[in-house]
């Protein structure tokens, strides 16, 4: 697909940005998950008025390409402020996990086909084989959290933007029995395999109509496929909006009520 070269170039422009709401974002603790010498850095937000005797939902948010790194901070740039809003924290108490993907790695396996000039002309999202290293660690972290007795295992949600939207589609395709609902933003993935999660994971898909990094056709294809499969699915397209459709999604009315109404049976 022609967009992926633009995708990685454009997203890198945000790599050095710093979140403005430092006081709010300091509510996320800095954590590391280490297995066999490999490390997944992540930030963790506890539920407001946390009670260790209760179980809470878990929200996993996957950042985009521009927030990759090792500082355990950049991943909060887009989305971190949403979950520390007083109204959301009070009405939707949950554990919120923001893992950070290392530089030059991805949340989903991707294969590119290039022409003689090196231009990307096709992209595939293979599902066979192992997950990428950061996602393999993320899956182990999730398994550990779910086994810890503090998470409501019937209310595990995942979402992400751009590269993280691709990771969201990958995760619900590979592990549909884990997630109760998902919200991919300006993502893409293996549409042909949507039947693997269509009847198990409700999704609300978001995309900007004028996205020149990850074309809106990627989400439209999922929308059409999921409708054909009779899935529980919502699709919101923002006319005239470019790649940063996450800004619209973060203030979209109804997202949190929609998310929290879903639970695994």
């Amino acid at each position: 697909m022609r967009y992926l070269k633009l995708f990685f170039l454009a997203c890198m422009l945000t790599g050095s940005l710093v979140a403005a709401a430092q006081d709010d974002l300091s509510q996320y603790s800095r954590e590391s998950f280490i297995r066999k010498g490999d490390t997944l850095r992540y930030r963790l937000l506890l539920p407001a008025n946390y009670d260790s005797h209760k179980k809470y939902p878990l929200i996993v948010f996957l950042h985009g390409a521009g927030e990759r790194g090792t500082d355990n901070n950049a991943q909060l740039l887009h989305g971190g402020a949403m979950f520390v809003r007083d109204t959301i924290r009070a009405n939707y108490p949950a554990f919120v996990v923001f893992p950070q993907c290392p530089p030059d790695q991805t949340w989903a396996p991707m294969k590119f086909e290039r022409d003689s000039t090196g231009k990307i002309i096709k992209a595939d999202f293979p599902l066979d084989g192992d997950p990428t290293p950061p996602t393999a660690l993320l899956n182990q972290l999730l398994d550990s959290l779910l086994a810890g007795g503090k998470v409501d295992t019937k209310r595990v949600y995942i979402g992400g933007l751009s590269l993280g939207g691709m990771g969201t589609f990958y995760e619900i395709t590979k592990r549909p029995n884990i997630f109760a609902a998902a919200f991919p933003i300006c993502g893409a993935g293996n549409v042909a395999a949507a039947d693997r999660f269509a009847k198990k994971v409700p999704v609300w898909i978001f995309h900007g109509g004028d996205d020149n990094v990850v074309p809106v056709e990627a989400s439209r294809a999922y929308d059409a496929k999921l409708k054909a499969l009779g899935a529980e699915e919502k699709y919101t397209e923002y006319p005239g909006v470019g790649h940063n459709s996450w800004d619209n999604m973060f203030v979209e009315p109804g997202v949190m009520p929609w998310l929290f109404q879903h639970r695994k049976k």
Side-chain angles (χ1 to χ4, degrees), residues 12-56:
M12 287 305 294
L13 295 176
T14 64
S16 62
L17 296 179
V18 178
Q22 291 296 325
D23 290 341
D24 288 337
L25 299 185
S26 68
Q27 297 179 70
Y28 291 88
S29 63
R30 294 176 179 269
E31 309 290 345
S32 294
F33 181 79
I34 302 172
R35 285 292 184 275
K36 297 181 179 179
D38 294 324
T39 300
L40 179 72
R41 295 171 177 83
Y42 67 99
R43 300 293 287 269
L44 172 66
L45 181 69
L46 295 180
N49 303 311
Y50 175 63
D51 183 343
S52 61
H53 297 97
K54 294 182 179 180
K55 293 185 178 182
Y56 295 89

Side-chain angles (χ1 to χ4, degrees), residues 94-156:
F95 296 104
V96 183
V97 170
F98 273 73
Q100 186 174 36
C101 186
D104 302 319
Q105 298 195 48
T106 60
W107 294 121
M110 303 174 189
K111 292 183 178 180
F112 307 123
E113 182 179 328
R114 302 175 185 269
D115 63 19
S116 59
T117 68
K119 179 181 178 181
I120 296 172
I121 58 175
K122 182 180 179 182
D124 292 318
F125 297 88
L127 297 173
D128 297 330
D130 295 330
T132 63
T135 298
L137 284 172
L138 174 61
N139 287 336
Q140 293 178 70
L141 170 62
L142 284 174
D143 292 343
S144 177
L145 292 173
L146 298 185
K150 303 299 182 182
V151 172
D152 182 346
T153 58
K154 296 184 181 298
R155 302 177 73 191
V156 180

Side-chain angles (χ1 to χ4, degrees), residues 14-264:
T14 64
S16 62
L17 296 179
V18 178
Q22 291 296 325
D23 290 341
D24 288 337
L25 299 185
S26 68
Q27 297 179 70
Y28 291 88
S29 63
R30 294 176 179 269
E31 309 290 345
S32 294
F33 181 79
I34 302 172
R35 285 292 184 275
K36 297 181 179 179
D38 294 324
T39 300
L40 179 72
R41 295 171 177 83
Y42 67 99
R43 300 293 287 269
L44 172 66
L45 181 69
L46 295 180
N49 303 311
Y50 175 63
D51 183 343
S52 61
H53 297 97
K54 294 182 179 180
K55 293 185 178 182
Y56 295 89
L58 170 64
I59 302 171
V60 178
F61 193 91
L62 304 180
H63 63 77
E67 293 74 63
R68 292 178 292 184
T70 59
D71 65 352
N72 207 1
N73 187 60
Q75 73 266 36
L76 295 176
L77 176 63
H78 302 302
M82 173 182 175
F83 297 103
V84 294
R85 290 181 202 152
D86 291 341
T87 53
I88 287 181
R89 294 211 72 199
N91 294 312
Y92 306 100
F95 296 104
V96 183
V97 170
F98 273 73
Q100 186 174 36
C101 186
D104 302 319
Q105 298 195 48
T106 60
W107 294 121
M110 303 174 189
K111 292 183 178 180
F112 307 123
E113 182 179 328
R114 302 175 185 269
D115 63 19
S116 59
T117 68
K119 179 181 178 181
I120 296 172
I121 58 175
K122 182 180 179 182
D124 292 318
F125 297 88
L127 297 173
D128 297 330
D130 295 330
T132 63
T135 298
L137 284 172
L138 174 61
N139 287 336
Q140 293 178 70
L141 170 62
L142 284 174
D143 292 343
S144 177
L145 292 173
L146 298 185
K150 303 299 182 182
V151 172
D152 182 346
T153 58
K154 296 184 181 298
R155 302 177 73 191
V156 180
Y157 311 112
I158 189 168
L161 60 91
S162 198
L163 186 70
M166 298 172 189
T168 298
F169 279 125
Y170 176 78
E171 280 288 83
I172 63 176
T173 304
K174 293 288 287 185
R175 308 190 80 192
N177 295 326
I178 296 290
F179 302 104
F183 52 102
I185 311 163
C186 58
N190 193 323
V191 178
D195 60 313
R196 298 191 188 184
F197 68 84
K199 298 297 180 68
K200 296 180 178 180
V201 186
V203 296
W204 190 346
I205 302 169
F206 301 88
H207 218 117
D210 286 353
D211 194 328
N212 64 355
V213 177
V214 181
V216 67
E217 286 78 12
S219 287
R220 289 176 182 171
Y222 265 116
D223 177 44
K225 179 71 171 183
L226 291 169
K227 280 182 169 61
L229 292 169
E232 183 180 346
E233 177 256 3
K234 296 179 63 149
Y235 176 62
T236 298
E237 184 175 312
Y238 301 109
V241 173
H243 190 50
N244 63 327
S245 54
W246 52 82
D247 290 334
N248 298 72
M249 180 272 172
F250 293 151
V251 294
E252 179 73 41
V255 169
M256 296 302 292
W258 175 87
L259 197 65
F260 272 58
Q261 77 182 9
H262 293 101
R263 63 169 57 239
K264 284 293 189 186

